[in-house]
Amino acid sequence: MSNLADARRRIADNVAEVRQRMAEAARRSGRTADDVLLVAVTKYVGVEIMRLLIDAGCLALGESRPQDLWAKADAIADMPVQWHMIGHLQRNKIRRTWPRLSWLHSVDSQRLLVALDREAAARSEPLPVLLEVNVSGDRDKTGFACDEVAALAHQLGQWPHLEIAGLMAMSALESNAESARQDFAQLRALRDALQPQCPPGIVLRHLSMGMSRDYEVAIEEGATMVRIGSALLEGVLA
Ligand SMILES: *Cc1c(COP(=O)(O)O)cnc(C)c1O
């Protein structure tokens, strides 16, 4: 799309529609719109279009690659947005990513937990993080296996400088809404099973699950954060 004014209008309409659908799905799960955070995923667009998302009220933004997050965060450092890292974070990129970050959704190994905890201790600054679980068992996906994360539950006090606040997952790559529902229900069941085994002070209150193709189902199944990119950009992406 060549015309920025058209893009602005499309994005405002898309955001309104997604928020409406989120609110309806939240109601179906006995909650309200305020119970679910929309993380607008900006990985497909540059700074100009990203600003239109912000203007449309998206103040929680997500990126899956650290370098892109740095560049975009720095380009809009004056704006009141929160950054969510939703993709794999290499340990050697922790230090540069940290100051720009509000949430890390994608902790996918114990080694990363150790390194993050060390950084949090050095900075005396806790970072809320989620453990990424490969619920669908897709081979090329990152994340803990369900049994790995289950084995970890009683040890989560080992990283006291982090705020371990829940779980994150993606539905199977080849999923439809109903098979996605099973993946999401499985993540919620895993969280419910882990919570009683967690040391005191660790509350797994967040479930980050649901993308453009399946966010309504994810909310029905208990998502507290959805990560949405393409549905916000319909009619804008080539
Ligand atoms: C890209 C991405 C999303 C958003 O995907 P859409 O289908 O465009 O909504 C969500 N979560 C993660 C981890 C992603 O990498």
Side-chain angles (χ1 to χ4, degrees):
M1 174 164 315
S2 54
N3 185 327
L4 203 60
D6 286 346
R8 177 180 295 281
R9 228 171 288 122
R10 279 307 297 252
I11 285 176
D13 287 350
N14 292 342
V15 170
E17 181 177 342
V18 166
R19 286 205 187 276
Q20 164 106 35
R21 286 170 176 247
M22 285 176 60
E24 285 162 9
R27 264 196 299 281
R28 290 194 294 275
S29 71
R31 297 180 296 157
T32 70
D34 293 339
D35 295 321
V36 187
L37 179 70
L38 170 59
V39 178
V41 176
T42 54
K43 68 186 178 192
Y44 310 109
V45 296
V47 171
E48 191 174 55
I49 299 293
M50 177 176 72
R51 282 183 181 277
L52 301 180
L53 284 165
I54 299 169
D55 291 346
C58 296
L59 299 182
L61 303 180
E63 275 290 329
S64 55
R65 295 172 35 145
Q67 292 95 322
D68 295 341
L69 190 151
W70 305 339
K72 285 177 182 161
D74 293 355
I76 54 155
D78 54 323
M79 310 212 68
V81 303
Q82 312 188 319
W83 281 100
H84 295 241
M85 177 74 200
I86 61 173
H88 178 62
L89 179 62
Q90 300 89 334
R91 285 175 297 155
N92 64 6
K93 300 214 168 63
I94 291 174
R95 194 148 296 164
R96 279 190 74 179
T97 308
W98 192 286
R100 299 166 172 91
L101 213 55
S102 293
W103 279 87
L104 174 58
H105 291 228
S106 42
V107 176
D108 52 10
S109 72
Q110 269 200 61
R111 295 200 311 173
L112 183 58
L113 276 171
V114 170
L116 288 166
D117 188 64
R118 196 174 299 139
E119 187 72 14
R123 292 177 181 270
S124 325
E125 224 182 284
L127 178 70
V129 304
L130 307 175
L131 305 178
E132 181 177 353
V133 185
N134 185 357
V135 276
S136 62
D138 284 340
R139 235 184 283 133
D140 14 329
K141 264 205 225 136
T142 52
F144 292 98
C146 291
D147 55 345
E148 274 178 317
V149 80
L152 212 56
H154 69 280
Q155 302 176 47
L156 289 178
Q158 277 183 66
W159 302 289
H161 305 98
L162 293 177
E163 186 193 337
I164 299 173
L167 304 179
M168 178 270 219
M170 275 183 273
S171 57
L173 298 173
E174 301 288 325
S175 69
N176 55 43
E178 287 315 305
S179 72
R181 185 184 298 283
Q182 293 176 11
D183 291 336
F184 299 144
Q186 193 186 340
L187 191 73
R188 189 189 51 194
L190 181 64
R191 187 274 308 274
D192 293 347
L194 296 188
Q195 183 61 64
Q197 302 174 43
C198 287
I202 292 188
V203 184
L204 304 176
R205 62 187 188 283
H206 283 291
L207 293 173
S208 167
M209 55 190 196
M211 321 186 352
S212 294
R213 61 179 181 199
D214 51 25
Y215 67 92
E216 292 164 279
V217 168
I219 293 170
E220 289 169 13
E221 294 300 325
T224 63
M225 298 179 177
V226 290
R227 311 173 309 268
I228 301 182
S230 31
L232 300 175
L233 297 165
E234 259 175 46
V236 177
L237 293 176

